[in-house]
Amino acid sequence: MTARTSTDLSSAEVPTPGYDRTAASVGIVHFGFGNFHRSHQAMYLDRLMESGEGLDWGICGVGVLPQDAAMRDAMRAQDCLYTLVVRHPDGSREPRVVGSVLEYLFAPEEAEAVYARLVDPAVRIVSLTVTEGGYLKDAGTGRFDASDEAVVHDVDHLDTPRTAFGFIVEGLRRRRAAGLAPFTVLSCDNLQGNGGVCRQTVVGFARLVDAELADWIEAEVAFPNCMVDRITPATTDADRDTLAEEFGVRDRWPVPAEPFTQWIIEDEFPLGRPRLEAVDVQFVDDVTPYELMKLRLLNASHQALAYLGAPLGYVLVDETMRDQRIVRYLERYMAEEAAPTLGELPGIDLPGYMATLLERFSNPGIRDTLVRLATDGANRMATFTVPTVRDNLLAGRPVVLGSLMMAAWAEYWALVARGELPPAEVPPDVHAEAMTRAAAGPDPAAFLGLTRIVGDLGQDARFRDEFLRQRSAIAEHGVHGAIDRALGD
């Protein structure tokens, strides 16, 4: 496609920003500028601006990875505009051009421009969607990993960091040196206590650079927790073609998303924040119960869909949801093993929420893929499923269905090792080599020896026995047979 200006995204059928973007200014810098951020946070800010508020809270997106050059090219060719396409279950599509992003910086080539934004007094929030695995922590212990290769590099090269956290720490150092109050750091990733995890990483990184700076960050910088939710698939050429054919809009990188969206944030923003409650964002004192609900129900169910569905030849989430055995597994797992770990959920209709999840997963318009759900699966399983199993073991509750999910995860990587999954269906994962080796070895318990992923869970005799029983059931009876036996238990 050829480069275009903002007018190339206009169409009589597609709403465009009704506010004056030239009157808007940057108030937020966002690291990890991908589809989810564009379907969620940027969408909410676009709604707020459309209402006539928040024009001083425009977004500067930052790409830190070399592959982010493609997003840079797309965004700059379109004046940082893009089309968000909501896919409804009846097959209809609802597009809107989003205008809340005002600038995109490619950090590998524009580090000083990124720092200029970070020390701009108008920037009061720095937000992140860098995935569960992007927080430079040991997946087994959850602690900041000072030995991480990227950390080691950035500590000695803060002029050209490779991580968002290198930029954040140096940006905070420069603000402090300039006598400026620190920005709020807002993690929007799927992590339990994402604000606390983000604080741990930033402070841990800073301590390697300057202990006094680390103390200042720990005392002065706000890291509110939040819960984010919207199923957002990867963009395909079919998405681009459909948008052009049905609506006359030629967009380099449109964003598909489901209709449902939710954002719940702890209200801790010392330098102020956009009035997002006006566009249905919920601000609370403690986001923990809502966050836990989403991670252990929605995100863990996504993992189950990936590892139970792919061996059966399924590619898409909605086609997997037409398998009634898998649906029954999800219903039982959520109700019997995940829900009991959640505690009190004020104002939440939990059975209704779980039913809504099944409806959302079944939306044929989304065309979400199992390989996307399995991407970075080691960090996702360590975040979404392992803690539920731990809590149930400690409480003496059943772990049959959680063990089946983890056994299916191990068997999935055994399939990868044997070349029985198509190459296009093998997800990227930083732990892929270790998982493949452990899953394919002669010892079926070797997968539990991956302590950087599962910690010491494999040392629990009850879980270990159940995990091995479920691996044996999958190997002998297949996924369907293993599900039948587990549900029969």
Side-chain angles (χ1 to χ4, degrees):
M1 296 184 185
T2 57
R4 60 185 70 79
T5 65
S6 60
T7 56
D8 294 309
L9 293 185
S10 63
S11 163
E13 300 178 70
V14 179
T16 57
Y19 49 91
D20 182 2
R21 294 178 75 231
T22 64
S25 58
V26 171
I28 298 172
V29 171
H30 184 85
F31 289 93
F33 188 88
N35 272 16
F36 181 76
H37 168 72
R38 297 193 296 149
S39 80
H40 193 265
Q41 182 181 349
M43 176 277 298
Y44 279 110
L45 285 157
D46 178 70
R47 279 187 188 176
L48 185 64
M49 292 176 178
E50 193 66 28
S51 76
E53 295 188 45
L55 290 178
D56 57 336
W57 290 103
I59 298 166
C60 169
V62 178
V64 175
L65 303 176
Q67 57 264 37
D68 292 331
M71 182 65 77
R72 171 202 61 194
D73 295 343
M75 293 301 288
R76 290 183 178 174
Q78 299 177 176
D79 193 23
C80 290
L81 294 167
Y82 62 91
T83 314
L84 174 62
V85 184
V86 176
R87 297 175 177 175
H88 294 280
D90 64 2
S92 63
R93 293 173 173 82
E94 183 183 356
R96 161 156 179 104
V97 174
V98 172
S100 56
V101 181
L102 305 180
E103 182 179 44
Y104 186 89
L105 297 174
F106 182 53
E109 296 176 0
E110 300 172 296
E112 283 305 315
V114 175
Y115 283 129
R117 277 298 179 199
L118 293 177
V119 298
D120 181 351
V123 170
R124 289 149 285 168
I125 296 173
V126 171
S127 54
L128 306 94
T129 44
V130 294
T131 78
E132 298 81 13
Y135 283 80
L136 308 174
K137 61 187 179 69
D138 185 295
T141 66
R143 292 190 291 270
F144 173 67
D145 184 3
S147 67
D148 185 283
E149 182 181 349
V151 174
V152 173
H153 170 273
D154 283 5
V155 167
D156 292 329
H157 300 86
L158 284 172
D159 53 335
T160 55
R162 294 177 182 170
T163 70
F165 297 101
F167 277 105
I168 289 171
V169 168
E170 175 64 6
L172 285 168
R173 188 195 68 77
R174 293 187 186 194
R175 281 182 83 107
R176 181 174 178 240
L180 297 172
F183 44 69
T184 294
V185 182
L186 178 65
S187 167
C188 298
D189 281 297
N190 287 314
L191 291 162
Q192 184 178 342
N194 51 11
V197 173
C198 191
R199 178 192 296 273
Q200 172 185 263
T201 300
V202 172
V203 172
F205 194 115
R207 207 160 292 286
L208 298 175
V209 176
D210 180 339
E212 187 178 344
L213 172 65
D215 292 340
W216 179 78
I217 291 173
E218 200 160 27
E220 300 295 334
V221 180
F223 294 85
N225 295 299
C226 77
M227 184 268 262
V228 297
D229 193 2
R230 188 172 216 179
I231 295 172
T232 306
T235 303
T236 66
D237 286 338
D239 293 319
R240 298 178 179 92
D241 294 343
T242 299
L243 187 60
E245 292 164 8
E246 292 190 9
F247 299 98
V249 173
R250 297 189 65 81
D251 188 332
R252 290 187 175 210
W253 209 320
V255 183
E258 67 167 334
F260 181 93
T261 182
Q262 187 175 36
W263 197 5
I264 304 176
I265 314 173
E266 291 176 354
D267 201 354
E268 185 187 6
F269 294 84
L271 296 185
R273 60 169 176 79
R275 206 173 69 87
L276 290 166
E277 59 267 40
V279 288
D280 300 325
V281 175
Q282 185 177 354
F283 287 90
V284 298
D285 293 331
D286 182 8
V287 80
T288 303
Y290 308 97
E291 183 180 58
L292 207 57
M293 176 185 73
K294 191 254 180 173
L295 298 180
R296 296 192 177 186
L297 295 177
L298 184 150
N299 295 107
S301 293
H302 268 172
Q303 296 304 288
L305 284 164
Y307 301 126
L308 295 173
L312 295 170
Y314 301 133
V315 174
L316 299 176
V317 174
D318 62 284
E319 69 172 332
T320 310
M321 287 297 293
R322 292 193 284 273
D323 187 317
Q324 290 307 303
R325 278 190 177 92
I326 292 179
V327 172
R328 286 197 299 274
Y329 169 86
L330 293 179
E331 291 173 334
R332 292 273 300 274
Y333 172 77
M334 287 193 289
E336 297 174 13
E337 295 193 14
T341 71
L342 300 180
E344 295 296 321
L345 290 162
I348 296 293
D349 171 10
L350 193 57
Y353 178 81
M354 292 188 287
T356 300
L357 290 181
L358 298 177
E359 294 174 5
R360 293 168 63 192
F361 297 157
S362 301
N363 182 346
I366 295 299
R367 297 190 64 79
D368 202 3
T369 64
L370 298 183
V371 70
R372 185 187 78 84
L373 303 189
T375 296
D376 194 29
N379 285 299
R380 293 182 175 190
M381 287 292 284
T383 302
F384 309 144
T385 303
V386 170
T388 298
V389 173
R390 287 187 191 281
D391 283 359
N392 283 326
L393 288 168
L394 287 171
R397 292 187 294 257
V399 293
V400 173
L401 302 179
S403 298
L404 174 57
M405 193 191 309
M406 294 190 67
W409 175 34
E411 286 293 308
Y412 177 96
W413 283 98
L415 290 179
V416 172
R418 297 194 296 268
E420 295 179 21
L421 280 184
E425 300 304 312
V426 177
D429 196 300
V430 69
H431 296 285
E433 183 179 349
M435 291 191 295
T436 303
R437 186 169 56 249
D443 180 6
F447 204 82
L448 299 181
L450 299 172
T451 56
R452 286 181 62 85
I453 303 173
V454 301
D456 62 356
L457 189 60
Q459 297 175 24
D460 185 287
R462 184 159 73 95
F463 169 72
R464 186 184 182 90
D465 289 347
E466 192 60 56
F467 172 87
L468 292 173
R469 188 164 77 96
Q470 298 302 335
R471 275 206 77 173
S472 177
I474 295 171
E476 293 178 23
H477 306 289
V479 168
H480 280 154
I483 291 174
D484 288 344
R485 282 163 174 74
L487 297 183
D489 291 342

